[in-house]
């Protein structure tokens, strides 16, 4: 699940991630890694406990060096937000106040709008132990909170940053269901190709006495075709399927072999080589 | 950002998370924590390198004990998926094949549909070092991949599980923008309350000679009201605002004091006590 590629576009824009008094270097590093995955690059640290730079942060960042190298330290949260136009505070605890409370999806789309309008924005994340103080939340414009399991709300800061960064990335996609790569393109088969497959299968089955008793044959064909065509085939699939039938139909039709449920693999191999038939 | 509460509803349902040959106990623990946050509970481990149970996993799970205790170990991926109806494989690398490739949002909504229809589903996550083999991906029905930064795609398994679990949780919400708590409810003010505030401010400003020269007063009042009413006030806000004006207007109007930019705090205190005016 890992890999950087310098020939591909490095996305590095969007809101500043502001960590208030982060304690563990590992967490700062995981935050940087989370940001880089989803195209964020501006990391601000308010009074990190263990100082800065921090080697543990760099190593946990898993090569998100552009985020670590660009991180800026501030003494106070006010200093860290002076140049910003709009700031969200993240919190897991219910806060009593008048500030609007938003979901991450709503917040991400608001941040994207402001980004496109040229505003500078930021998202505040609190300390590992107890998050943001009420005074810190008061410095933000709005609150964002995650839709977690009511009985198990336990996101660490790197996880919270990952989720916000992810929703930020998605807010910039034209189609939220687009993916970076696609399956090999397949042309849908024509009905004629499907009919050809039906005929091949039915002829091979007929030769083996599958349609028994004969008066049930029309109904059995109906059922068989219904099963085979419940989902539409691609040309490639019709081709694979016809190859399978051809192979199964390759040995003599005249001497049906008596199969048993416990027949061994070795027998099957022999038979497909045309030697078998009756034991 | 942490806290469990046994009185609140513990959500524990949905697709099984299947880790194929996970190596580090810490990662298994972080996976359990990620799952618990978003209401998933069924963890399956295929040949975990360091055996099971694993104390490092339990400690990294941050009290997601119901997930750790319920984890089941399987020898093979086939065994781990036998009872399931539908399986996604997660991958960051492009795979060449016919399998549909989905975004996490699409996959989550598919899983939710199947869950509601009573199907059992699962999501496969590969090893830390190199993910899933092509043979393992082939056992799944569809592929899911994350919309990451093209030049920095580096999600570890716990992060990947966190994102899938998050989208799973969101797929079950009636409104993706709902939040677990809301700001204190505020009644919108009536126009009459706003007019009362305007009059109070304008009267206080008039007494201090703010509207100068007099012929500009109507235009200045227009501008002032435009600024004050750009966003609508709640009743509480009108009340807070009127209190502020009243307080600023509390000392004598007859002896305007000459303020200087460097005026000290002590002076202000004296004045609000009614002693000051001219220095």
């Amino acid at each position: 699940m890992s890999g950087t590629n310098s020939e591909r576009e490095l996305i590095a824009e969007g809101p500043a991630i502001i960590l208030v008094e982060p304690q563990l270097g590992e967490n700062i590093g995981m935050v940087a890694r989370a940001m880089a995955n989803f195209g964020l690059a501006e990391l601000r640290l308010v009074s990190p406990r263990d100082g800065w730079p921090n080697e543990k942060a760099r190593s946990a960042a898993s090569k998100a060096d552009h985020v670590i190298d660009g991180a800026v330290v501030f003494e106070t949260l006010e200093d860290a937000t002076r140049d910003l136009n709009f700031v969200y505070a993240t919190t897991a605890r219910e806060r009593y106040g008048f500030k609007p409370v938003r979901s991450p999806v709503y917040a991400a789309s608001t941040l994207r709008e402001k980004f496109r309008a040229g505003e500078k924005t930021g998202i505040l994340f609190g300390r590992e132990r107890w998050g943001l103080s009420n005074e810190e939340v008061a410095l933000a414009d709005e609150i964002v909170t995650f839709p977690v399991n009511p009985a198990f709300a336990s996101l660490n800061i790197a996880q919270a940053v990952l989720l916000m960064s992810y929703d930020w990335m998605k807010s910039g996609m034209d189609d939220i269901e687009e993916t970076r790569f696609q399956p090999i393109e397949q042309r849908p088969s024509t009905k004629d190709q499907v009919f050809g497959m039906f005929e091949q299968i039915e002829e091979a089955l007929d030769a083996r006495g599958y349609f028994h008793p004969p008066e049930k044959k029309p109904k059995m064909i109906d059922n068989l075709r219904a099963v085979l065509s419940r989902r539409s085939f691609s040309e490639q699939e019709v081709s694979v399927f016809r190859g399978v039938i051809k192979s199964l139909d390759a040995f003599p039709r005249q001497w049906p072999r008596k199969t048993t449920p416990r027949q061994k693999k070795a027998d099957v191999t022999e038979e497909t080589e045309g030697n078998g038939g009756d034991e």
Side-chain angles (χ1 to χ4, degrees), chain A:
Chain A
M1 293 249 161
S2 148
T4 60
N5 186 325
S6 56
E7 286 164 25
R8 296 183 185 167
E9 184 196 5
L10 181 70
I11 307 173
E13 59 184 21
I17 297 295
I18 303 163
L19 306 184
V20 179
E21 297 185 0
Q23 299 171 313
L24 299 172
E26 289 84 344
N27 283 338
I28 302 173
M30 287 297 287
V31 162
R33 178 180 184 174
M35 291 169 63
N37 265 294
F38 297 111
L40 294 176
E42 192 174 345
L43 178 59
R44 301 182 178 194
L45 306 171
V46 178
S47 293
R49 188 191 64 186
D50 299 337
W52 193 259
N54 180 319
E55 275 315 304
K56 282 183 185 164
R58 183 175 299 275
S59 113
S62 194
K63 304 213 173 94
D65 293 330
H66 61 293
V67 180
I68 294 291
D69 292 337
V72 180
V73 173
F74 296 87
E75 266 192 39
T76 66
L77 178 54
E78 285 85 344
D79 286 344
T81 56
R82 281 186 204 286
D83 62 324
L84 303 180
N85 301 107
F86 188 91
V87 172
Y88 271 108
T90 55
T91 176
R93 286 198 309 277
E94 185 157 353
R95 307 279 179 158
Y96 296 95
F98 299 150
K99 268 185 216 302
V101 181
R102 309 298 190 188
S103 74
V105 171
Y106 183 102
S109 100
T110 300
L111 290 167
R112 181 67 65 173
E113 264 173 41
K114 291 180 183 291
F115 171 73
R116 286 181 176 148
E119 290 190 41
K120 292 198 75 174
T121 59
I123 315 172
L124 313 183
F125 294 84
R127 303 149 190 81
E128 284 91 336
R129 294 243 168 244
W130 49 275
L132 295 167
S133 69
N134 287 336
E135 292 68 30
E136 288 158 352
V137 171
L139 289 179
D141 294 277
E142 299 190 352
I143 286 173
V144 56
T145 191
F146 296 92
V148 287
N149 196 346
F152 190 91
S154 169
L155 291 173
N156 73 16
I157 54 170
Q159 290 173 318
V161 170
L162 183 76
L163 298 178
M164 268 314 304
S165 305
Y166 176 53
D167 275 333
W168 160 259
M169 175 69 115
K170 286 193 292 186
S171 73
M173 291 165 64
D174 293 330
D175 175 6
I176 205 170
E177 296 185 355
E178 82 189 27
T179 54
R180 282 183 306 126
F181 60 93
Q182 285 297 317
I184 294 171
E185 206 175 336
Q186 299 191 57
R187 281 187 307 280
S189 62
T190 61
K191 291 297 175 201
D192 188 54
Q193 289 166 328
V194 175
F195 298 155
M197 180 179 72
F198 286 165
E199 282 158 21
Q200 184 190 355
I201 294 170
E202 288 155 16
E203 194 271 340
L205 289 172
D206 214 3
R208 283 178 167 67
Y210 174 82
F211 299 111
H212 183 81
E215 65 272 21
K216 283 203 175 167
K217 181 174 172 183
K219 181 66 188 159
M220 289 175 82
I221 285 186
D222 278 358
N223 289 345
L224 183 66
R225 292 187 172 197
V227 169
L228 289 174
S229 58
R230 200 164 70 88
R231 58 182 274 280
S232 55
F233 282 94
S234 70
E235 285 190 357
Q236 291 95 324
E237 287 171 320
V238 167
S239 162
V240 166
F241 216 79
R242 294 194 66 154
V244 168
I245 302 302
K246 189 175 170 194
S247 172
L248 290 173
D249 193 30
F251 52 89
R253 293 175 170 185
Q254 290 87 335
W255 302 284
R257 77 183 159 82
K258 295 173 201 124
T259 53
T260 71
R262 289 173 188 270
Q263 187 186 19
K264 285 176 194 144
K265 213 171 180 182
D267 296 336
V268 176
T269 310
E270 275 178 9
E271 280 159 19
T272 53
E273 285 164 359
N275 299 329
D278 47 23
E279 293 170 290

